[in-house]
Amino acid sequence: MKNIEINGFGKAEMDTIAPIMKDLLTSYMQKSNDVELVDWLKSQLKENLSDKTPDMIDQISSDIISKIDKFNSNLMNMEQYCSQGKVRQEWFYNQIKEIPEGMDISTYGNYLSQVENGLAVGNQSVINASQLENGGLITLHDIPNYEISNVEQNGEWNKYTLRNVASNIVKQADLAGLGNITMPVGMNLALQATQVMDMPKLDVNMEEIELNSAIDTGIKTVATTALEICLNKGKVPFLNKFIPIGLAADVACLGVESVKAIARYANGQASARQTVECLGMATTSALVNFISSKVAISMCSAIPVIGPVLGTTLGALVMSMSSQQIEQCIYSGIQKLQPIAVSMLNTAHDVLTSGVNFVKDIGNEIISLLEF
């Protein structure tokens, strides 16, 4: 199985994150049923971020809860929308079509186009690494200055060109979702951590956790809090370069949903096509929140690289998976899916280098590869 690794995020970083996750998960599982999740969250933030004032703790807690709720709401609404035979690109456009306060349509269109190009840069780095026989090492500051065609080149932004770039962003989200499969380094790091440290065990099968259920919201809160603590305290400097404080929830939620999707595939509860669609939907949900937060363009190229690796790591740890469970559920699922994902990325590489319409052609190729 190919293994694409990230320069700057490895065992040392995992050794910092895992104990924090273990302590938070242990505390969460010991929480009395009559203690509200937000009150538990505040107590943990107060204990771990002692330099923050009570008002700051209240604000961080409120942000974490609201952003997890927003991620789940986005994903549920998207699934319902698509279940009616409608396309995800149109759902995404409806979420982002309103011009943010302080921007005109030209400024906003340029921003969205840069988001698209940033995602394409990150996806291209993963594609390049996947071309190597045994995988490769990605260094984020070495990502090539790769650009795809920009809808702004016609010089005018309107609802039609905004819809076009929104569709392109969703296609990039689909490719970014494949990173959960093509870059199993997150799974490997979680496996290493659980081999030397016992995580408290949740009495639930991950593939059976329903979206927006109490346990789903709870474990996403634990994973988000662990990452938020690391970012606020600068415990993993590499992550602070690419993940703004305040966007931890979307990375953590993306990881939990990715692990659930791969586990369902490994256990025969979902097809390859359904799994890839789930990964793309989860990435799309996160992107809505990134864009509404006006995420820096520099982060966009990091999303396809860091998002899957860090997300899968957090997801596997917070699910209280033993090393055996990681091997049986996540490793086996990735092992089965990786040839399909690599074929998709190879196709993407061929389309990119041929100069033809990237979004249209790669979308058609992904569908054809999954029809079996």
Side-chain angles (χ1 to χ4, degrees):
M1 183 166 65
K2 289 190 177 185
N3 191 27
I4 301 173
E5 298 184 354
I6 301 176
N7 188 11
F9 188 76
K11 184 178 182 302
E13 289 71 27
M14 175 51 56
D15 289 345
T16 298
I17 295 174
I20 296 174
M21 181 75 80
K22 179 180 179 179
D23 290 344
L24 288 170
L25 191 56
T26 300
S27 173
Y28 171 74
M29 293 177 66
Q30 294 173 346
K31 178 180 74 68
S32 172
N33 290 335
D34 59 2
V35 176
E36 295 291 336
L37 181 61
V38 66
D39 293 327
W40 172 85
L41 174 57
K42 288 179 182 179
S43 70
Q44 295 304 306
L45 290 174
K46 182 179 179 180
E47 179 180 334
N48 286 278
L49 301 177
S50 56
D51 61 319
K52 305 295 183 184
T53 66
D55 286 345
M56 295 170 71
I57 293 295
D58 287 347
Q59 185 61 55
I60 295 172
S61 302
S62 176
D63 286 346
I64 288 175
I65 296 296
S66 65
K67 286 179 179 178
I68 292 173
D69 286 345
K70 181 61 175 175
F71 178 94
N72 285 348
S73 176
N74 283 343
L75 196 50
M76 288 189 297
N77 290 339
M78 193 190 324
E79 289 176 350
Q80 183 178 12
Y81 187 89
C82 294
S83 71
Q84 300 171 356
K86 301 175 184 178
V87 296
R88 180 157 34 107
Q89 290 88 334
E90 193 65 19
W91 178 89
F92 180 73
Y93 169 71
N94 289 334
Q95 307 307 305
I96 67 167
K97 65 183 180 181
E98 298 299 326
I99 310 299
E101 185 177 351
M103 286 188 179
D104 57 25
I105 190 170
S106 178
T107 303
Y108 187 48
N110 290 340
Y111 172 74
L112 291 178
S113 185
Q114 291 175 48
V115 168
E116 175 199 347
N117 287 345
L119 291 170
V121 168
N123 281 326
Q124 181 64 28
S125 68
V126 177
I127 290 171
N128 289 345
S130 74
Q131 299 294 305
L132 303 175
E133 183 176 355
N134 296 314
L137 181 69
I138 297 177
T139 301
L140 284 173
H141 62 72
D142 290 339
I143 289 178
N145 184 24
Y146 177 83
E147 294 185 359
I148 62 176
S149 60
N150 189 322
V151 298
E152 188 208 0
Q153 62 189 346
N154 293 326
E156 180 181 353
W157 284 102
N158 51 50
K159 66 179 182 180
Y160 301 107
T161 49
L162 285 180
R163 179 179 274 107
N164 187 31
V165 75
S167 178
N168 292 355
I169 289 173
V170 171
K171 291 298 192 299
Q172 295 293 345
D174 284 337
L175 287 181
L178 294 177
N180 293 281
I181 304 166
T182 56
M183 294 189 293
V185 59
M187 177 271 296
N188 290 336
L189 291 173
L191 180 60
Q192 292 173 17
T194 56
Q195 286 174 337
V196 298
M197 181 181 66
D198 290 331
M199 298 293 288
K201 300 298 182 286
L202 288 171
D203 187 22
V204 62
N205 294 324
M206 74 191 75
E207 65 273 16
E208 297 174 359
I209 296 176
E210 294 185 7
L211 177 63
N212 209 38
S213 63
I215 186 64
D216 178 68
T217 301
I219 60 176
K220 285 173 179 172
T221 301
V222 172
T224 300
T225 305
L227 182 53
E228 193 83 22
I229 289 170
C230 287
L231 292 173
N232 271 278
K233 300 183 78 169
K235 284 183 170 292
V236 185
F238 172 82
L239 296 181
N240 285 83
K241 296 178 183 178
F242 303 105
I243 302 178
I245 294 176
L247 291 180
D250 292 290
V251 175
C253 289
L254 177 57
V256 170
E257 289 302 321
S258 299
V259 170
K260 286 160 58 177
I262 294 170
R264 285 194 295 267
Y265 174 76
N267 291 332
Q269 297 178 6
S271 67
R273 180 169 185 166
Q274 289 171 325
T275 303
V276 171
E277 287 176 349
C278 283
L279 295 174
M281 281 189 172
T283 306
T284 303
S285 178
L287 284 174
V288 170
N289 293 342
F290 288 155
I291 290 172
S292 67
S293 300
K294 300 184 182 68
V295 64
I297 299 302
S298 59
M299 181 188 172
C300 293
S301 61
I303 290 173
V305 181
I306 294 178
V309 172
L310 178 58
T312 302
T313 301
L314 293 173
L317 287 178
V318 80
M319 292 288 193
S320 301
M321 300 173 67
S322 66
S323 57
Q324 183 180 13
Q325 287 175 311
I326 291 176
E327 290 177 334
Q328 290 177 346
C329 296
I330 307 304
Y331 186 87
S332 64
I334 290 176
Q335 192 171 39
K336 294 175 184 176
L337 283 168
Q338 195 175 76
I340 300 170
V342 171
S343 293
M344 292 178 186
L345 291 178
N346 287 340
T347 300
H349 178 267
D350 293 342
V351 172
L352 286 165
T353 55
S354 68
V356 298
N357 188 312
F358 168 77
V359 172
K360 178 181 177 181
D361 284 37
I362 193 57
N364 292 337
E365 290 293 342
I366 285 178
I367 290 173
S368 66
L369 282 166
L370 290 172
E371 290 180 342
F372 56 85

